[in-house]
């Protein structure tokens, strides 16, 4: 590859007209060169000067364990609790089939992203948006990539504030001995946001491995509690509670809304490249080998948790699970009613800790973009104070969105359908664009088919979710959490 072509790939943002930053800014040089080793020396290739100052690529000392923790924390979250609600609308057979196909689909696109990370010789694409620009061009790449990536970062953090804050309030209500209300919902949102922003002050993505470890342990803990507690129930109680598995609503919007719940539970692809960017790489030991081991380990654990929660909880509660999904707090009330206060408190506490630990890793792409604009204008890395202020500001934005639009979880399928392209569609077309397989070859046909299906699914989910909301209504309580 020519020097000029390499410079373009390493300096994708500089192709903007007038060089003005729009989430992704122009970089320090019009013709940057890798600065951390080269092919002959076996160094960590594909690094440009500005990347050494940014939180995602500042440290590349990760290993298979840190990558596994990050993948588990970003891939196994509160969305797993939506799976029983999806099964309540789809039934046993279709619920299991769609979850299995969706999980295999996600694993395939993850494999594509892992191998696209270093698809261009001497270049590492450590950010999803940068790979989108390299694949589709500057204008189209930003058009297709900015909203989904920013929604999956800032939007996910806002939803974490909503679900985590409401779960804190519910925990306080459970622990309260009388009927008084110790804390308001707004106060719970503020408590969660303050703790989350405090945890977000770690300097870079690699330094979050401790939080990711705690987060994935908490996720596995409450998932295990949620599927194991129903097994301790009296078998006769199912008949006493008249649990039914009949599907009452087979309308188009209800079925596809349930499919959307499964789709948005298969999250995490927006952080694959970023997590891989924390790993060392050289020609003899490329990062994709370490990353793929971490992907396999993490996805085995994720699959076990997801399938057990979906199948056993649906078996235990059947049609009593609200098919709309709804707020996570309403779903957890099932355990408050059926089990001891101690068990309910354990589930709520581990759930809150998981939300808190997931917040920093989801916020990191937004922090990275904000710091990229700063360092390319100032020509120097962010100071500790500036970095702290960026994260406090982004935390305030997420808090403001959570307070103003506390009904966002009800719109998860509608808005998330667009973001699903990041997981199910874009990687396929990125592979075709960068790898350029022979036309009508197996990989070409497979990626065209899978990518087209993903785009079609996104459109159908948007239509179905809009019809679902139009049929059942939406209580849009602006600034009234």
């Amino acid at each position: 590859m020519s020097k000029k072509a390499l410079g373009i790939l390493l300096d994708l943002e500089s192709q903007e007209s007038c060089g003005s930053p729009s989430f992704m800014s122009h970089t320090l040089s019009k013709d940057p060169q890798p600065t951390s080793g080269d092919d002959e020396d076996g160094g960590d290739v594909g690094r440009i000067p500005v990347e050494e100052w940014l939180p995602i690529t500042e440290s590349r000392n990760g290993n298979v364990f840190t990558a596994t923790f990050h993948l588990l924390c970003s891939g196994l979250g509160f969305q797993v609790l939506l799976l029983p609600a999806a099964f309540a609308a789809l039934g046993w057979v279709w619920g299991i089939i769609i979850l299995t196909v969706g999980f295999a689909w996600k694993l395939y696109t993850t494999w594509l992203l892992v191998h696209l990370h270093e698809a261009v010789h001497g270049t590492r694409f450590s950010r999803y948006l940068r790979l989108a620009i390299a694949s589709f061009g500057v204008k189209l790449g930003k058009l297709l990539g900015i909203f989904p990536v920013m929604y999956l970062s800032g939007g996910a953090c806002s939803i974490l504030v909503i679900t985590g804050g409401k779960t804190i309030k519910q925990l306080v209500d459970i622990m309260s001995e009388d009927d008084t209300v110790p804390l308001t919902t707004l106060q719970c949102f503020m408590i969660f946001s303050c703790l989350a922003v405090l945890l977000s002050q770690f300097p870079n993505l690699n330094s979050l491995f401790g939080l990711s470890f705690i987060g994935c342990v908490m996720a596995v803990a409450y998932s295990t509690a949620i599927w194991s507690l129903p097994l301790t129930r009296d078998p006769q109680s199912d008949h006493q509670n008249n649990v039914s598995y009949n599907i009452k609503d087979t309308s188009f919007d209800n079925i596809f809304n349930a499919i959307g719940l499964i789709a948005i539970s298969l999250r995490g692809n927006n952080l694959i490249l970023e997590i891989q960017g924390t790993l060392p790489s050289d020609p003899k030991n490329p990062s994709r080998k370490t990353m793929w081991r971490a992907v396999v380990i993490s996805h085995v654990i994720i699959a076990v948790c997801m399938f057990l929660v979906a199948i056993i909880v649906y078996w235990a509660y059947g049609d009593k699970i609200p098919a709309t999904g709804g707020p996570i707090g309403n779903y957890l009330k099932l355990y408050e009613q059926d089990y001891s206060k101690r068990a309910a408190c354990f589930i709520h506490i581990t759930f809150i800790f998981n939300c808190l630990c997931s917040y920093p890793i989801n916020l990191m792409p937004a922090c990275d973009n904000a710091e990229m604009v700063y360092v390319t204008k100032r020509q120097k890395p962010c100071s500790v104070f500036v970095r702290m202020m960026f994260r406090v500001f982004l935390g305030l934005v997420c808090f403001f969105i959570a307070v103003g639009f506390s009904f966002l979880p009800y719109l998860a399928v509608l808005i998330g359908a667009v973001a699903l392209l990041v997981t199910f569609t874009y990687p396929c077309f990125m592979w075709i664009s960068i790898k350029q397989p022979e036309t009508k070859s197996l990989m070409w046909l497979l990626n065209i088919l899978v990518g087209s299906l993903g785009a079609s699914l996104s459109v159908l989910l948007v239509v179905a979710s809009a019809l679902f909301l139009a049929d059942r209504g939406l209580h849009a309580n602006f600034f009234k959490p």
Side-chain angles (χ1 to χ4, degrees), residues 168-178 180-183 336:
I168 289 176
K169 180 173 178 14
Q170 192 170 351
L171 174 64
V172 173
D173 292 343
I174 293 173
M175 298 175 67
S176 178
E177 296 296 335
D178 50 29
T180 60
V181 182
L183 294 172
E336 177 188 348

Side-chain angles (χ1 to χ4, degrees), residues 312-341:
I312 295 180
V313 174
Y314 179 54
W315 164 78
Y317 293 101
D319 60 352
K320 294 185 179 298
I321 300 171
T324 56
I328 301 295
N330 292 340
Y331 172 76
L332 291 178
K333 284 182 180 178
L334 292 172
Y335 288 83
E336 177 188 348
Q337 296 167 0
D338 287 0
Y339 301 101
S340 67
K341 181 182 291 188

Side-chain angles (χ1 to χ4, degrees), residues 217-230 305 308-309 346-347:
V217 169
M218 293 296 103
V220 172
Y222 74 70
S223 298
T224 303
I226 285 174
W227 66 256
S228 62
L229 282 174
C305 292
L308 288 177
V309 168
F346 174 80
I347 293 174

Side-chain angles (χ1 to χ4, degrees), residues 1-156:
M1 177 176 291
S2 66
K3 183 178 179 180
K4 181 179 179 181
L6 177 60
I8 291 174
L9 284 170
L10 289 171
D11 195 15
L12 294 166
E13 294 78 28
S14 67
Q15 300 176 52
E16 288 185 80
S17 58
C18 303
S20 60
S22 175
F23 291 95
M24 296 289 286
S25 68
H26 55 53
T27 56
L28 296 176
S29 171
K30 293 296 181 181
D31 190 20
Q33 298 298 316
T35 63
S36 302
D38 51 40
D39 294 346
E40 288 77 15
D41 297 335
D44 188 14
V45 299
R47 197 170 189 177
I48 59 179
V50 70
E51 288 193 322
E52 298 181 354
W53 299 342
L54 299 176
I56 287 178
T57 48
E58 186 177 60
S59 173
R60 282 182 166 166
N61 299 321
N63 53 50
V64 65
F65 299 107
T66 60
T68 301
F69 298 153
H70 290 322
L71 289 168
L72 280 170
C73 190
S74 62
L76 181 63
F78 63 88
Q79 290 91 341
V80 72
L81 300 183
L82 298 176
L83 293 175
F87 272 52
L90 295 171
W92 283 112
V93 176
W94 284 110
I96 293 174
I97 290 175
I98 293 173
L99 180 56
T100 303
V101 171
F103 190 85
W105 192 343
K106 177 185 181 296
L107 194 60
Y108 171 68
T109 55
T110 300
W111 180 86
L112 293 178
L113 289 174
V114 168
H115 285 77
L116 286 172
H117 180 79
E118 296 173 296
V120 177
H121 184 64
T123 305
R124 295 186 67 175
F125 296 106
S126 299
R127 294 162 184 82
Y128 196 100
L129 186 53
R130 176 167 290 182
L131 180 60
I133 293 171
S135 303
F136 307 129
V138 177
K139 292 183 179 179
L140 184 59
K142 289 187 176 184
L143 178 65
L144 296 177
I146 283 179
F147 174 76
V149 170
M150 289 300 101
Y151 170 75
L152 290 171
S153 179

Side-chain angles (χ1 to χ4, degrees), residues 258-312:
I259 294 174
L261 294 178
I262 293 178
I264 62 176
S265 70
L266 300 169
R267 63 175 192 158
N269 272 24
N270 60 304
L271 292 171
I272 293 294
L273 296 172
E274 286 78 355
I275 294 171
Q276 193 170 350
T278 65
L279 301 175
S281 183
D282 58 64
K284 294 182 180 179
N285 296 294
S287 62
R288 66 175 179 271
K289 293 183 179 179
T290 304
M291 186 65 180
W292 185 244
R293 287 199 295 270
V295 167
V296 172
I297 295 170
S298 60
H299 279 66
V300 167
I301 299 173
I302 291 171
V304 170
C305 292
M306 292 180 72
F307 278 88
L308 288 177
V309 168
I311 293 172
I312 295 180

Side-chain angles (χ1 to χ4, degrees), residues 188-199:
C188 292
F189 280 19
M190 187 174 297
I191 291 171
F192 182 92
S193 294
C194 290
L195 292 173
V197 170
L198 182 64
L199 293 176

